[in-house]
Amino acid sequence: MTDQLPKKINLLGLTRVQFEQFMASIGEKPFRARQIMKWIHHYNLTDFEQMTDLGKVLRQKLAVIAEVRLPKVLFHHYSTDGTRKWVLDMGLGNAVEMVYIPEAKRATLCVSSQVGCSLDCDFCSTGKQGYQRDLSSAEIIAQVWIAQQSFMPIANMGMRPITNVVMMGMGEPLLNFEQLVPALEIMLDDLGYGIAKRRLTVSTSGVVPKIDALTDAIDVSLAISLHAPNDALRDQLVPINKKYPIKTLLAACQRYLDRYGSRRRITIEYVMLEQVNDSVMHANELVQLLSNLPCKINLIPFNPFPHTPYQRSSESRIAVFQQRLIDAGFTTTIRRTRGEDIDAACGQLVGQVQDRTRRQKDWQAVVLRQAASGESKHAS
């Protein structure tokens, strides 16, 4: 029996500090880390032989002990509105999505942090699919790498195709804290993707201890998936509220603001559910609840999925709700629904792909059973 080769280290998920430590561990100078990071993240190269400012000996050494490993792209769809969606194979039948949303003055990439989600928010299709595992920092960064690579070659690296990144894809980012923070550091780093800290947003359903940990660890923007103006309703829609109720959540938000200054505002995300949380009474409650919190409010039209009991609020109810918030002095926007024709809209992630994968597995199982049955009959 032959010995297994040692597993190669995936350089894709290393921060600058981790990269320099790795290079030192193999007897190389720290500046080599900076060179290689540029090749990987700026020029989207995975082959060490193409990194022409590295010596031949170093290139050969890296080929033996390291790699830039990416997940396989299962699907890459384009919406009629310019939205793009990628479905990435994470192994063992698991998949995650990322979505690219172009707008007039910015282009936002929505990135996943987990395969599935354990929080089971009542209106979210991803939560209904359950939780499989956390993504590594390399798998989080791979999403940015793949999206950027689709726009290559870029003659002027000052003109980036991705201006904003939001951790709002599959999963609860703060429940994958140890892998999230290094990925955020790479996105912020000029040797990585150079995303401005105001344009890099972590969205959470309210994991309060990790909000405090994020505040201490790294300076990025914060979004809260609130979706209800009182605990009774939020307990139903966002079950983690039973552990960290609204008062506790908003106190953590205030600590974040105290840390980063009065010019910061938190983004409040609020999905609009017909006859559930979209009345004028709910708007008045929300005004009262957020009266002392510097924030902007993003109203999200609900995107229905199979077997959900909820419906999207009518445009008229959303407009009335928005106007009440604006009248109270809140900056309030209605998120445009993008990518519905490719199931890339908010809350629709991976559903059809997982259904297709399950159907394919079922079909393969039938074929195998038939083959086994035929072999059995032949043997008898």
Side-chain angles (χ1 to χ4, degrees), residues 28-100:
E28 297 291 338
K29 299 292 185 182
F31 78 91
R32 294 298 187 191
R34 296 191 288 274
Q35 288 177 305
I36 300 169
M37 284 188 73
K38 284 185 177 181
W39 284 116
I40 294 171
H41 301 298
H42 289 194
Y43 297 102
N44 288 81
L45 286 181
T46 61
D47 183 357
F48 298 122
E49 279 302 312
Q50 296 182 45
M51 300 180 185
T52 53
D53 58 354
L54 305 181
K56 182 178 181 180
V57 172
L58 176 55
R59 296 199 303 269
Q60 291 174 339
K61 184 192 299 186
L62 289 172
V64 172
I65 62 175
E67 62 184 339
V68 181
R69 185 172 65 254
L70 296 155
K72 179 182 177 182
V73 177
L74 296 175
F75 300 97
H76 182 195
H77 296 315
Y78 294 82
S79 169
T80 55
D81 64 17
T83 301
R84 299 185 183 192
K85 180 177 77 171
W86 291 261
V87 180
L88 306 181
D89 182 5
M90 293 301 172
L92 301 176
N94 295 317
V96 299
E97 287 193 3
M98 60 178 176
V99 177
Y100 172 83

Side-chain angles (χ1 to χ4, degrees), residues 74-142:
L74 296 175
F75 300 97
H76 182 195
H77 296 315
Y78 294 82
S79 169
T80 55
D81 64 17
T83 301
R84 299 185 183 192
K85 180 177 77 171
W86 291 261
V87 180
L88 306 181
D89 182 5
M90 293 301 172
L92 301 176
N94 295 317
V96 299
E97 287 193 3
M98 60 178 176
V99 177
Y100 172 83
I101 306 168
E103 297 178 86
K105 294 184 178 180
R106 65 181 182 181
T108 301
L109 187 69
C110 183
V111 171
S112 294
S113 56
Q114 296 177 313
V115 182
C117 185
S118 63
L119 295 188
D120 195 23
C121 293
D122 208 36
F123 53 86
C124 180
S125 65
T126 303
K128 301 305 177 188
Q129 295 159 13
Y131 164 82
Q132 281 74 51
R133 68 174 179 86
D134 292 338
L135 297 183
S136 68
S137 59
E139 289 170 328
I140 295 172
I141 286 297

Side-chain angles (χ1 to χ4, degrees), residues 113-180:
S113 56
Q114 296 177 313
V115 182
C117 185
S118 63
L119 295 188
D120 195 23
C121 293
D122 208 36
F123 53 86
C124 180
S125 65
T126 303
K128 301 305 177 188
Q129 295 159 13
Y131 164 82
Q132 281 74 51
R133 68 174 179 86
D134 292 338
L135 297 183
S136 68
S137 59
E139 289 170 328
I140 295 172
I141 286 297
Q143 297 169 68
V144 187
W145 191 101
I146 289 168
Q148 177 172 277
Q149 192 272 340
S150 71
F151 293 94
M152 298 296 278
I154 303 172
N156 177 6
M157 288 306 298
M159 299 294 292
R160 301 293 178 90
I162 300 164
T163 63
N164 295 57
V165 174
V166 292
M167 299 301 306
M168 295 182 186
M170 291 181 68
E172 164 54 59
L174 295 186
L175 290 181
N176 187 16
F177 188 81
E178 298 304 320
Q179 298 299 316
L180 171 70

